[in-house]
Amino acid sequence: MITRKSKLTRELSKIEGFLKPKLSLRQYMTPPAIASELLWTAYMNGDIEGREVCDLGAGTGMLTIGASLLGGRVTGYEIDSEAIRIAISNAHKLKARIIILQMDVDEVTDYCNTIIMNPPFMVIGGKNDKVFLKKAFTLSERVYSIHTTQTRSWIKKYAESNGYNAQIISTREFPLPKEFKHQSKELVKQEVDLWYFFR
Ligand code: SAH
């Protein structure tokens, strides 16, 4: 088990991302430093070690594997089989024990102590981060998540209307492939908030 944040970031930097990211599913891997910050906060709050942890939209396993390396019993849910294949290979490489279930987030009904997720943002209609957050609030009392800074006031109001306290852990620049923001540069920076919701 890992007990230092710097070591966690180093391990997470070995994780492979999506081979051919699917635009419709908003597939972009969380950068190791951001994943590590979110996970470490949850760990220090006592929400990872020895806890049942879920990751909604697990992708190639960045948060699922990170939570496992910190001593969580982790289940990741992911709709895309190609992403799951890479997540399993990443888990082998980092010697992490994880369970990944191929499922649409709508179908998840298992309660867990803690949810850690980086859901798809900026999907117009469809399964966007608000859909993921709504689901997370039905499954857990403690939710750690990442959302764009533009949606900050909506997110706070939405969490509070569901009976959750909403705290911003930090605000970071998240590099997104240009396809996600219709821009000409290869990578664009999206400002995001790292959130902790609890009740
Ligand atoms: N959590 C990962 C991946 C984030 S990208 C990381 O932090 O690196 C968002 C992920 O959500 C993608 O892997 C995408 O395939 C998945 N996803 C999108 N819609 C979904 C849905 N309806 N149900 C489950 N997973 C979904």
Side-chain angles (χ1 to χ4, degrees), residues 61-81:
M62 179 62 75
L63 298 170
T64 323
I65 292 169
S68 165
L69 295 176
L70 292 173
R73 295 194 298 274
V74 197
T75 308
Y77 297 90
E78 170 59 51
I79 200 164
D80 180 40
S81 56

Side-chain angles (χ1 to χ4, degrees), residues 2 19 23-24 33 40 63 66 87 121 128 141 147 154 159 180 198:
I2 288 178
L19 268 181
L23 186 59
S24 61
W40 192 256
L63 298 170
F121 14 84
N128 55 23
E141 311 255 294
H147 302 275
W154 186 91
F180 293 110
F198 60 99

Side-chain angles (χ1 to χ4, degrees), residues 106-170:
D106 281 344
E107 296 163 9
V108 182
T109 52
D110 297 325
Y111 295 101
C112 39
N113 298 127
T114 308
I115 289 184
I116 302 268
M117 64 179 186
N118 180 17
F121 14 84
M122 291 179 302
V123 186
I124 312 294
K127 306 270 169 62
N128 55 23
D129 51 345
K130 293 166 191 169
V131 174
F132 278 64
L133 199 54
K134 184 172 185 199
K135 171 58 78 172
F137 288 156
T138 69
L139 300 175
S140 186
E141 311 255 294
R142 306 173 90 75
V143 177
Y144 295 81
S145 184
I146 302 176
H147 302 275
T148 62
T149 301
Q150 290 105 298
T151 58
R152 182 181 288 176
S153 57
W154 186 91
I155 296 278
K156 187 168 166 57
K157 271 195 219 111
Y158 183 67
E160 287 171 356
S161 71
N162 278 272
Y164 285 75
N165 296 294
Q167 281 179 5
I168 293 176
I169 299 164
S170 65

Side-chain angles (χ1 to χ4, degrees), residues 18 25-30 57-59 78-79 103-105 118:
F18 299 94
L25 293 174
R26 293 298 188 275
Q27 293 184 327
Y28 34 72
M29 186 177 79
T30 306
E78 170 59 51
I79 200 164
M103 244 190 235
D104 187 305
V105 66
N118 180 17

